[in-house]
């Protein structure tokens, strides 16, 4: 879906997947996940953002960390943000994601020079999608705090 919305070059698409016509949730392989994906794809968010990257691999050479982030979005005001999809079972509950999003935002800004304003967590569960939005600077501050505690404990010199 993100690759289709992004109009990504075919070279970026997974093997044997041609998504030129979008995603049909009634067909394989998506049908088995339709309870999660239908609410996610129906989310009004998609009408207000532009997907400019999907499955973006980033690294921070100074801190020696890396990660892959689900989406990079451009908002109507021209700023960008990182978004991460989290799937939950019917009984699952959201958990703190700001530090992870902050790491992505920091690496995204460093590598691509994007002006970041927001970070989003997309919580997909059967029959539901919830979007949590955070200020990018708050997420970055959380990440730097978590990393400082890690560094003090595990990298003492």
């Amino acid at each position: 879906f993100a690759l289709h919305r992004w109009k990504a070059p075919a070279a970026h698409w997974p093997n044997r997947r041609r998504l030129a016509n979008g995603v049909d949730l009634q067909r394989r392989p998506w049908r088995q996940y339709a309870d999660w994906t239908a609410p996610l794809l129906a989310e009004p968010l998609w009408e207000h953002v532009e997907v400019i990257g999907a499955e973006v691999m980033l690294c921070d050479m100074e801190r020696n960390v890396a990660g892959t982030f689900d989406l990079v979005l451009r908002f109507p005001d021209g700023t960008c943000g990182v978004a991460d999809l989290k799937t939950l079972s019917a009984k699952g509950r959201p958990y703190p994601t700001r530090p992870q999003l902050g790491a992505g935002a920091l690496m995204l800004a460093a590598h691509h020079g994007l002006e970041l304003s927001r970070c989003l967590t997309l919580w997909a569960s059967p029959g539901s999608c919830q979007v949590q939005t955070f200020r990018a600077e708050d997420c970055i501050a959380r990440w730097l705090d978590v990393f400082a505690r890690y560094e003090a404990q595990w990298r003492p010199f």
Side-chain angles (χ1 to χ4, degrees):
F1 174 75
L3 293 173
H4 175 69
R5 289 292 299 232
W6 176 29
K7 296 179 178 58
H12 292 279
W13 296 359
N15 290 339
R16 299 182 309 275
R17 298 277 185 247
R18 296 295 167 237
L19 304 176
N21 296 322
V23 174
D24 180 354
L25 296 179
Q26 301 309 311
R27 299 190 63 180
R28 288 182 173 207
W30 300 286
R31 179 175 46 211
Q32 63 188 335
Y33 305 109
D35 288 347
W36 283 263
T37 55
L40 176 64
L41 298 181
E43 176 58 45
L45 169 75
W46 305 119
E47 301 307 317
H48 303 283
V49 298
E50 177 186 4
V51 176
I52 60 172
E55 291 297 319
V56 178
M57 292 182 249
L58 298 166
C59 67
D60 181 335
M61 298 298 283
E62 180 183 328
R63 291 178 183 82
N64 195 30
V65 296
T68 301
F69 295 87
D70 293 325
L71 298 171
V72 180
L73 304 174
R74 186 178 325 275
F75 302 107
D77 64 2
T79 63
C80 296
V82 63
D84 205 44
L85 171 64
K86 303 293 186 188
T87 56
L88 299 171
S89 69
K91 295 180 182 179
R93 298 287 174 250
Y95 49 88
T97 58
R98 282 182 233 186
Q100 178 187 3
L101 293 168
L106 193 64
M107 290 186 277
L108 195 59
H111 283 278
H112 298 289
L114 298 175
E115 181 186 352
L116 300 169
S117 63
R118 306 173 210 46
C119 297
L120 288 74
T121 304
L122 310 174
W123 296 100
S125 59
S128 174
C129 178
Q130 297 176 5
V131 178
Q132 280 186 310
T133 305
F134 308 103
R135 293 178 344 140
E137 57 265 23
D138 293 342
C139 293
I140 291 169
R142 294 274 180 111
W143 161 242
L144 293 174
D145 180 57
V146 165
F147 189 80
R149 285 185 276 135
Y150 164 79
E151 196 170 36
Q153 182 175 355
W154 298 103
R155 298 181 184 177
F157 21 85

